[in-house]
Amino acid sequence: MNDKTTTADLARLAEENTALIENSLDLIALIDAEGRFLRVNAATFDILGYRPEELVGRRYAELLGAEERGLFETLRLDLRAGMSIRHDLQSRWVRKDGRVIMMSVSVRWCAFSQVTYATGRDVTEQHAARQALDKSRQLQQVMLESIGDAFFAVDRDWRITYANRKAGAFVDVDVDASIGKDLLAVAPDLRDSPSLGYYQRAMETGEACTFETFWEPSGVWIEVRAYPSEDGLSVYFHDISFKHHAEQALKKSEQRYRNLFQQAADSIVIADRDLFIVAANGRACSVFGYTEEEFLRLRVPDIDSGYTYTDSLALALEEGQTQLLRITKRRKDGSTFPADVHISRFEDGGAEYYQAIIRDVTEREETQNRLRELATHDTLTGLPNRALLNERVQRLLDTCPRESTVAAMFFDLDRFKEINDSFGHEFGDVLLCEVAARLRRVIRPGDVIARLGGDEFVIAAHCSSGQGAAARIAEKLLDVLTAPITIAGQDVIIGASIGISLYPFDGLSKEQLFQAADTAMYRAKAAGRNRYRFFEPEMAFATRERMALETSLRPALARGEFELHYQPRIDLRSMQMVGMEALIRWNHPGRGLVSPAQFIPIAEETGLIAPIGRWVLHEACMQTMRLMTEFKREIRVSVNVSARQLAHATFVGEVRQTLQESGIPPHCLELELTESALIADIERTALMLRELHELGVKLAVDDFGTGYSGLAYLRSFPIDVLKLDRSFVLQDDERISAFDFVKAFVDMAHALKLAVVAEGVETDDVVEFLRAADCDEAQGYHFARPLPLAALRERLSAG
């Protein structure tokens, strides 16, 4: 081949290469070492909007998006460092019109000629499509991960193409590592599960299926939905154990409801909106006497006895309120019974129904009536009790005509305690029942009679003529008891004391009338019993006075209002003071000095005598010991002891403690006891007195001769002194003189090794009388009145 031919071929080849470059749809550029365009083909206009001559000499970096410049600077350095070529570098470029496009750029660095060969292709649409596809896939993944179901997909070869985390957790595998693997390799338990058969049929038939199955490995029930497609099978499943258990529970509940409905202890009837009965349980059939078929032919009014169902009831039921009604129900045989009926409304299948739970309350009403009878009547006599009395008396007062009166009578049996103690409580109850029966026969139909308790009765009656009519009623009440009552085969006559108050003169309320009648009744007893007394205002004054005194007495000890006075006791032989009796006095802040005769009985009744007695014992011993120390002589102090103190189990210990704290010699303390206190419990008292005697304390019997005066107990108890009551010293009997009696008494006491002290001595004649009778000691106003401590000290100082 000659030179001419070679040149022509080269020229043609160059022309062809130029044509290829110029006609290429891709941008082709030659770039120098500084990044300037040396040459670009015509495609630059279609891709970047620039004509080739507009770009020659310009740096390519000017056309890059700002965020891409760092990337290309790194690329330039990498090319210089030995990486001579880079393919498919996707980056953002700015067209001449300002629009940003995405280009796929490939570059090659030629170190020899120090130039870069670059090609670029507009991939904006492909990039956008890929982004959309990626976003769609991402959205699909998020959706599949966020759904409540577990999900997996397999291709036609049963290879897993996707699975969400819930599916992986269900079979305890890593889903990312499972993609592309065979389904049975990832979940081998499927091989023995019924689920696999459903999946295979769905894949073969192309028909979707839904089923429930028990997944043995996890012990749960699952609901599965399988959807076949050309690509394979998509499966959704979720745990329905709760639903399955709930359905089972519902079935059991429905069965239980049916059982409860039929076996309920109450009658249950269900009716529709028009009150036609649609269901009745076995109990209803038994109670009403209808068969279930007969019930279904009835309406609710057919089993009622005239009850009217109101619109307000229907409205309340529509608002969901269960209603409790008392309805008289009628059985098939026509008999009726009272019933509590709980009615409620419910809907079923869009229809409205009423359910009635019916309970026969015949027995309950009888019980309530009986309880009401027990609550308002005395169980022994059958008479009204205090509660019913208050109600009926209030009704009498409310209906009392003007110019008329109502009498309230408190009726208390005389000698009832004596009879009760003698014959026993059983016969005492017989007596009370007979008295109640007799009183019933006397009172008028409109009058009120009640038993308050014990032997106390109350009668209230309208008395048109006032006091005269009340007196006639009282006389009838007393007269009806004059006939003997046979108790234990013995005739007993028992009387009564009646106190009467009149409305409105003695009080405007039942409470005031009762209080006034009670006060009058006690006055009737004090007046000799078996009589009646009308209330008088002075009676209330005396009662209030006593109550006021009791109220003041309670804090008196704590306030230090008590003090001791001492009455000297004289030896009748030497006429010297050998001892003294400690006597309590009460300095009331408002009343001044209160007599012991006024407050001691109150203290006895209220139990205050025990702490007051302890104080007297302690104070008398302390003061006496101080006197003995001051005057350097022995002085015997006598302290009165009440029956309540003696009955207290700690009394001996209190005496022992007082002796220790005061330091007084035991023989200088004399305890005065009453006869009634000694014989209350002879065995116990004897034991206690022996304990006291062993302490060295002297024991005296006070007011001897006014009680039982029995010689037997004088020999049973370790007594040292008898105090002879003044009545035996001052009074003569027709048959025997006072001297002879006292002389005989003193001789008897001396024979029993007892000293005798005479009380109430007021004259010289009595002193001589007692000395002649060999009486040992005496005390009384003749020698000295009870003295305050200061006056006693002066007497002792004077010798």
Side-chain angles (χ1 to χ4, degrees), residues 261-282:
F261 180 76
Q262 289 299 334
Q263 300 171 11
D266 294 326
S267 301
I268 303 177
V269 173
I270 299 175
D272 64 15
R273 183 178 181 83
D274 297 321
L275 299 185
F276 283 98
I277 296 174
V278 297
N281 69 349

Side-chain angles (χ1 to χ4, degrees), residues 185-260:
V186 174
D189 293 316
L190 267 175
R191 196 179 303 277
D192 300 321
S193 170
S195 301
L196 183 60
Y198 285 103
Y199 298 156
Q200 290 170 338
R201 281 193 295 274
M203 189 84 83
E204 291 170 1
T205 63
E207 295 179 357
C209 65
T210 299
F211 60 91
E212 293 179 4
T213 187
F214 184 72
W215 181 249
E216 188 71 34
S218 301
V220 297
W221 283 87
I222 57 175
E223 181 183 80
V224 184
R225 301 186 308 279
Y227 300 98
S229 66
E230 293 180 358
D231 298 326
L233 188 70
S234 297
V235 177
Y236 299 83
F237 64 93
H238 60 273
D239 188 341
I240 59 165
S241 296
F242 178 80
K243 172 192 169 186
H244 184 81
H245 295 326
E247 288 175 349
Q248 293 300 315
L250 180 60
K251 291 179 182 178
K252 291 180 181 178
S253 176
E254 289 174 347
Q255 184 61 46
R256 281 196 299 269
Y257 172 77
R258 284 191 290 272
N259 293 339
L260 287 173

